[in-house]
Amino acid sequence: MEIQLQDRTLGQWMEHWAETTPDKEYLVYSDRDLRFTWKEFNERVDRMAKGMLSIGIKHGTHVGIWATNVPDWLTFLYAAAKIGAVAVTVNTNYKQSELEFLVENADIHTLCITDGVFDGSYVDMVYTMLPELKESQRGYLKSKRFPVLKNVVYIGQEKYRGMYNTPELLLLGENVSDETLVEAKKLVTPHDVVNMQYTSGTTGFPKGVMLTHYNIANNGLLTGEHMKFTADDKLCCCVPLFHCFGVVLASMNVLTHGCTQVMVEKFDPLVVLASIHKERCTALYGVPTMFIAELNHPMFSMFDLTSLRTGIMAGSLCPVELMKQVDFIALTGSAKNIQMAQTSGTPNVCVSAGNVVSVVDSTADLKDAAHKIMLSKTFDHATSCSSDNAVVIEAAVYDGMVAALVAEGGYLCNADEKAALQDAMWDKETGKRRGATTAKPAIVMAQEAGFTNEAAMNAKFFMVEETGYGK
């Protein structure tokens, strides 16, 4: 199927639903019966955006969000987005040195924090990082080590020396005119950076990834389209919002489909099960250990989960027995289509040709998808996979011809393997590209590209030409 990518900012998406479905529930915390309609939440976001403007946040300013899934997490995200600021998501498990590295590396201007997690106080760590904060007037922080950092905001009612809190920020925003907010919004484009997410740092220091409105909104859109989301869906999200799983696959999916996001502040299997039962959630996200905790909870059988129809299990390897257990529940009507992903990326990375995207659902669609890339001639290469049968395509465009390596069984191509695959496309003796009839057998090309023998045995290779398909 073909999906048109949307050229909207996050703020424009928010305002679209506030206008078209103002009274529909957007954000729900079922355990505390806290509910916002699209209109109510959009109004709160605008008030927060004014508060941000009042403390010097503007287009391009970096705003750190270091918090668990509290209700105002998304308020700060969308408020920053509406005025062109960049929300920098901070891992809730960070320790002192990791926090200090990120604040300096990301040029954080305003850091928004909550109390912390069970084994660390964010407030204490911030005071350790900024000993001068307790003696500073709010908004006038001067740190030699962190010269860019000017504000610390506590997300909540409590007051701490040197920090703003949420009510104070909203109050300050009342001094900012509607016209000033409108002018700030006009400066924002869909291709501005809106979010910085840091890598895990397993192979070195964490690196900040710059993501645009267009980028993350359309990732959410495509995720939802593949899962057949509509405005009637209710997504139960218990994964952390600082991670791409929570902020993109969940929040951007909801934002682009106008449905309801049922949040869990800190993972608790009982709260998750009760939220699904009470709100009649249609989708559930989680990492494998979350599903295990839910399935094995002693009160599991007491909850009605028949409203569930889809979801994503990702973040780490999904154990076979767990998948079988989820499949069994699916057969009994509790969850009809849980998507399994081996990593925390989007479960359906789509073949892209210009602004038209082809979601590949089966092996039968491979040739059509490759043909679309070939006809567009706008991309040098593209990758696609299907969550249904773990098919991976590595396709490269060569002067009107597409080469695609199709491997059954999972993600096989890393950067070096892609380069090796491209090298295999060319006959080194003649210096010419191999044609459809002279291409090496799939197993040979797969082996040359560095795949394991087992993977190579399962590989298929075909060429696509404008006159038809060669195999």
Side-chain angles (χ1 to χ4, degrees), residues 331-367:
L331 291 173
T332 60
S334 291
K336 301 179 180 63
N337 184 27
I338 294 290
Q339 306 286 340
M340 300 296 174
Q342 293 301 321
T343 70
S344 55
T346 308
N348 55 301
V349 181
C350 305
V351 174
S352 178
N355 273 355
V356 177
V357 173
S358 298
V359 178
V360 180
D361 288 319
S362 66
T363 308
D365 294 334
L366 298 181
K367 290 181 180 179

Side-chain angles (χ1 to χ4, degrees), residues 203-222:
T203 57
F205 288 110
K207 301 167 186 66
V209 181
M210 311 290 281
L211 303 169
T212 66
H213 295 255
Y214 184 84
N215 179 182
I216 64 174
N218 281 300
N219 277 349
L221 175 68
L222 296 174

